[in-house]
Every structure is written in C-alpha cells, then in structure tokens.
Amino acid sequence: MTAPAARLGRGRWRDRIDAALVAPGEARTARWVHAGVAAVVGLRLAARDWTVLADRAPALRTHTNLLGWVPDLPAAVLVVVQVVGVLAAVAAIARWRPRLAFGVAWACYLVLCGLWTSSGKVMHNDVLTVWVGMVWLFAGPPGRDVPPGERSVRWGWPPRASLAVLGCVYFLTGFQKLVHSGPRWAYSDNMAWVLLEGAHTSPFGPEFPQAIAHLPVVPQLLATGALLLELSAPLLLWHRWSRPLFALAVAGMHTSIWACLGLDYSAWVLTAAAVTLPHLRSPRVVSGRSGWRRGW
C-alpha cells in the first residue's frame, strides 16, 4: 500500500470511529448508565468504614501523589464526607439535580479513596469507577422531561465515552503486565506463586488456592485467560453483541480473584455491568455513506 493510500485508509478509520463516538444516542441509555455508575459510587461509599483513617499513625502517611496534601481528618469529618457522598449519589439516581449531585458524590468518593492509601493515590479497587465516573462530570444526564426514546448527540457520546474508558483501563491493565513481565506473566509459574503467596487471604481458607496452584496447567490457563480478556477489552466492548459476554467474563475473573486471594474487585464488576448492559436496548447506529454498522 502506498503512503497516500495508507494515510487515506487511516483517515477513513478515524472518521468512522469519530462518527461512532459522537453519533446520536437514546436518552434512556444515558440515563441508565449515569444512574448505574452513581449507584456504584454510592454503594462503595456506604459499604466501607472510612473512620479507620482517623486512627492511622501519621508516620504511615507519605503526603505524596493525588491527595497527599490533605491533612489527616478526624472521624467526624470522614463520616460527614461519606454521608454527603451517599446522599448525593441517591439524588443523582433519583434525577434531582443529577449532574450536580453526581459531581458531589464523585468528589466525596475521590477524596475518601485517595485518603485510604498512604501515598494519597486512589486504590486500585476503585480506580476504574473513578475514571468512568469522570466522564459524567462533563456530561449532563437527561432530565425528567426528556422522553426515554429521544435521540441526540448529547445523550449519545457520554455512554460511549464510558465504554471507551472502561476498555482502555482494562487494556492498560493487561498491557502493563506485558511491559513489566512479558508473556511469561501468563505461561510461567507466576500465577502458581501468586496463588501460594496469597493463599492466607482467601475467604475459603488457604487450602483452596493452594490446591489450584498445584494443579498442572490450570494456573497458566487462568493467567492467560485474564490477560487475553484485558487485552481484548476494547474489541469486546466495540461490538454490541459481545458486551454481555465481557461483563460476564469480568464477573467471573474478579470473583475468582476474590475466592483465591480475597481481593475485592466488586466495584470493577458493577461498573462494567453499569456501563455495558444499558446499551443492549439501543438500536444500532448506522453512520457513513456506505452504511457502516458497528455495535456503538
């Protein structure tokens, strides 16, 4: 392929992707995605005892990164931030000043998640929800007076942007494994050692992950499946029919992580479901002169 033809081909793909991202979408899809992400934020705020931060020794704080500049807060202030965040999430779901309410809930969530770690960064358990929620700081959901079936670019791009962020986070999670460890992350005895090292935190006792770690090939299959799922996330989220499969696979992967290592990634599972499932009801978008169809 000649250079001009290659540039023309790339330009056409960029135009198609751009047209798909900003194509009109249904108000009901934007409403459900917004409410779903707000519900995840509210649940995460309500489910954790944030007051333990008040009992942490000052020496454990390094005061670096995102929220390292925030001073140690007393328990009463932490509870106030938690309650305000939960109430704001409920207001966003109920569509009472939903854009402002979501912004308040997201800000409370960001602050508490940032304070939870000693370095002031957001915990990896919540980072996906934080990033997906950021999309809705720049987009207002449909108001009560907007018919569910109304189609507009205003309602089309935020749900698709949420899908794009979801896919990028999962892809980068897998890509950094390849950067730091290469393919050996999957086909070596790496996963077996992970299972053995984390066995003591399994909710089912250490015998369960230890038994899996000693099975031939199974740890490599689990690692390979997780890596392939993460790297293929953008493709799986691009097509409408594969989004439920992605949400189901994500739930299975993170449930297995919890069962073997006791790590809680429920926020990732719920966020993936909140972003992917509402798109199933929307009709397919047809864009471009050639009637190019995609799941967006």
Side-chain angles (χ1 to χ4, degrees):
M1 182 180 291
T2 63
R7 286 195 295 269
L8 181 60
R10 289 194 296 269
R12 287 175 178 174
W13 275 106
R14 285 196 299 268
D15 291 342
R16 289 176 173 179
I17 293 173
D18 180 70
L21 286 172
V22 300
E26 285 191 346
R28 67 162 59 90
T29 302
R31 188 172 295 160
W32 277 106
V33 175
H34 179 268
V37 177
V40 178
V41 170
L43 287 172
R44 295 297 288 180
L45 283 169
R48 184 176 291 122
D49 180 14
W50 301 97
T51 60
V52 298
L53 293 170
D55 300 326
R56 185 172 53 189
L60 296 179
R61 291 287 304 278
T62 59
H63 298 285
T64 60
N65 272 333
L66 180 65
L67 292 168
W69 56 272
V70 178
D72 294 327
L73 300 177
V77 175
L78 295 169
V79 170
V80 169
V81 175
Q82 178 185 21
V83 172
V84 169
V86 171
L87 293 178
V90 172
I93 297 170
R95 286 187 286 161
W96 184 82
R97 305 289 296 274
R99 186 170 186 175
L100 175 62
F102 184 89
V104 172
W106 183 88
C108 294
Y109 183 51
L110 176 70
V111 169
L112 292 178
C113 286
L115 294 178
W116 189 266
T117 57
S118 61
S119 61
K121 66 180 181 179
V122 176
M123 297 178 297
H124 58 276
N125 309 71
D126 295 280
V127 69
L128 176 67
T129 310
V130 169
W131 276 106
V132 171
M134 188 181 296
V135 171
W136 293 94
L137 300 181
F138 304 95
R144 295 175 182 269
D145 57 334
V146 178
E150 179 178 309
R151 297 182 62 81
S152 169
V153 172
R154 184 179 181 184
W155 318 134
W157 76 263
R160 297 189 186 100
S162 300
L163 282 171
V165 172
L166 179 68
C168 286
V169 171
Y170 269 100
F171 173 81
L172 292 175
T173 301
F175 183 71
Q176 64 87 24
K177 293 182 176 69
L178 294 180
V179 170
H180 294 290
S181 303
R184 285 180 56 82
W185 189 92
Y187 68 75
S188 69
D189 58 356
N190 169 65
M191 183 56 67
W193 281 108
V194 169
L195 292 170
L196 293 174
E197 288 289 329
H200 64 283
T201 58
S202 170
F204 299 105
E207 295 80 8
F208 176 66
Q210 287 172 354
I212 297 177
H214 288 110
L215 289 174
V217 184
V218 172
Q220 288 80 6
L221 290 176
L222 291 174
T224 302
L227 184 60
L228 291 177
L229 175 61
E230 292 168 347
L231 294 176
S232 62
L235 179 62
L236 293 172
L237 293 173
W238 178 262
H239 296 283
R240 185 182 305 274
W241 63 269
S242 57
R243 290 172 193 162
L245 300 178
F246 176 81
L248 184 63
V250 162
M253 179 178 70
H254 292 305
T255 300
S256 67
I257 293 174
W258 169 78
C260 292
L261 305 176
L263 298 177
D264 177 19
Y265 280 92
S266 59
W268 289 57
V269 175
L270 295 174
T271 301
V275 172
T276 57
L277 299 184
H279 291 264
L280 300 179
R281 296 191 46 153
S282 299
R284 292 182 179 272
V285 175
V286 181
S287 60
R289 295 181 181 178
S290 62
W292 181 69
R293 289 178 177 265
R294 282 295 184 269
W296 289 97

